[in-house]
Amino acid sequence: MTKPLIGIDLGGTKIEIAALAPDDGRFLLRERVATPQGGYDEVLSAMGDLVARAEATLGVQGLPVGVGIPGCISPATGVVKGANTTLLNGRALDRDLARLLHRPVRIENDANCLSVSEAVDGAGRGAHVVFAVILGTGVGAGIAIDGRAWAGAHGIAGEWGHNPAPRLPEDRGVPTPHCWCGRGMCNETVLSGPGFAADHLRHGGAALDARAIVQAARAGDAGAQASLARYAERLAGALAQVINLLDPEVIVLGGGLSNINELFDTVPRHWPRHVFSDVIATPLHQAQHGDSSGVRGAAWLWRVPTV
Ligand SMILES: [Zn+2]
């Protein structure tokens, strides 16, 4: 067997490491630790310790390491930008980690890691172009081409969460949400979990979280059903823009809101009104690897050893 591949999913609350068998993607080990809150150097050394422990367990040294992070390494400055784990911003994480581990590391945005994971051996297996979306506390997306992340000229390819969200007739007279990024009604302000809850509230619903709105809709609550219908229609319109621009072979939904099964039927039914094509056969799938997609995608960053 060729060498195992190590992936690290670096988040604000936890750091997960996993080693994958390169031939069939089997987990050889995985471990999670809480993200140290003391500062950047502590986070770096926690990652170094995880790699050292993993290699000791596997009995192999110098394995390839890929890392998924919130935000990205800016091609312009060489340092992390846009991470909600803000202690990473402004840091040369790739160079610092390479120095610590004595090897090159590959670092990608976490949504890009989702797209790679699903493209290599998940719901987008076999597709040349996969668009993968995280619908969770925030909204992110990534593009994988032939199993590799397409980061873009500025490192922002797939930052669809901050495109303007489709407006619906029902929005007339309803206050416009504002995004933390400084823009107006971004996709994230209505398609994230908190965004969905806020939309329900703005349209006269009770203060419920996303899960409770879906439960109420399934139990027959008309207001919650209307909110879920708006959510599906907005998601459909936002994805239709992606289809018109990129025309991916598969769209994959991950994150907590991808557990809303109804979306996989209702969203594609809206597409003919928005997509400029006589036939729209784009499959819309739930991410196959769930919470493991980040760490799996990070490991698969080294599936192609040379760029
Ligand atoms: Zn925004």
Side-chain angles (χ1 to χ4, degrees):
M1 189 178 76
T2 44
K3 279 184 183 177
L5 305 174
I6 288 186
I8 297 176
D9 186 8
L10 174 56
T13 56
K14 56 116 185 132
I15 306 174
E16 180 171 11
I17 188 168
L20 298 186
D23 44 359
D24 61 4
R26 245 175 323 121
F27 278 113
L28 300 172
L29 66 80
R30 53 195 307 193
E31 183 183 356
R32 277 182 184 200
V33 296
T35 306
Q37 300 300 318
Y40 177 72
D41 291 339
E42 278 190 36
V43 172
L44 263 188
S45 67
M47 294 167 78
D49 292 347
L50 282 169
V51 171
R53 268 208 300 282
E55 292 187 333
T57 304
L58 295 165
V60 201
Q61 304 296 309
L63 295 177
V65 174
V67 185
I69 61 167
C72 69
I73 306 259
S74 165
T77 62
V79 298
V80 176
K81 66 174 178 179
N84 56 5
T85 305
T86 51
L87 56 80
L88 298 176
N89 288 325
R91 302 292 192 156
L93 180 62
D94 53 348
R95 279 170 280 159
D96 293 341
L97 202 54
R99 201 175 305 124
L100 183 71
L101 298 176
H102 308 292
R103 75 197 79 173
V105 295
R106 289 183 180 169
I107 296 185
E108 273 295 343
N109 172 263
D110 46 15
N112 292 2
C113 289
L114 167 70
S115 71
V116 169
S117 167
E118 294 296 321
V120 170
D121 61 357
R125 182 196 307 247
H128 292 296
V129 179
V130 175
F131 186 74
V133 176
I134 297 175
L135 300 170
T137 312
V139 170
I143 300 161
I145 301 175
D146 292 328
R148 286 166 54 183
W150 175 253
H154 303 87
I156 59 154
E159 286 292 358
W160 162 91
H162 298 280
N163 276 15
R167 286 174 192 274
L168 307 178
E170 302 96 289
D171 292 325
R172 230 169 268 132
V174 174
T176 300
H178 288 282
C179 189
W180 62 267
C181 76
R183 293 172 189 81
M185 187 172 159
C186 292
N187 284 331
E188 182 165 298
T189 66
V190 288
L191 297 180
S192 65
F196 182 30
D199 187 70
H200 183 63
L201 205 56
R202 276 194 302 276
H203 284 80
L208 301 174
D209 65 13
R211 184 192 297 261
I213 298 168
V214 173
Q215 282 168 351
R218 288 174 182 161
D221 181 285
Q225 286 173 347
S227 290
L228 186 54
R230 279 194 310 280
Y231 185 90
E233 194 171 351
R234 293 191 209 278
L235 179 58
L239 290 176
Q241 294 167 4
V242 174
I243 299 173
N244 275 343
L245 185 71
L246 186 67
D247 199 2
E249 291 161 57
V250 182
I251 296 177
V252 178
L253 303 183
L257 283 89
S258 72
N259 292 316
I260 306 174
N261 294 330
E262 290 90 332
L263 296 176
F264 298 93
D265 290 326
T266 50
V267 166
R269 265 194 257 134
H270 287 291
W271 280 344
R273 285 191 293 123
H274 302 291
V275 176
F276 184 69
S277 174
D278 53 345
V279 175
I280 308 154
T282 314
L284 181 67
H285 292 317
Q286 186 173 17
Q288 187 178 318
H289 294 294
D291 286 349
S292 303
S293 270
V295 77
R296 293 184 66 85
W300 286 138
L301 295 176
W302 282 99
R303 196 174 63 105
V304 181
T306 52
V307 176

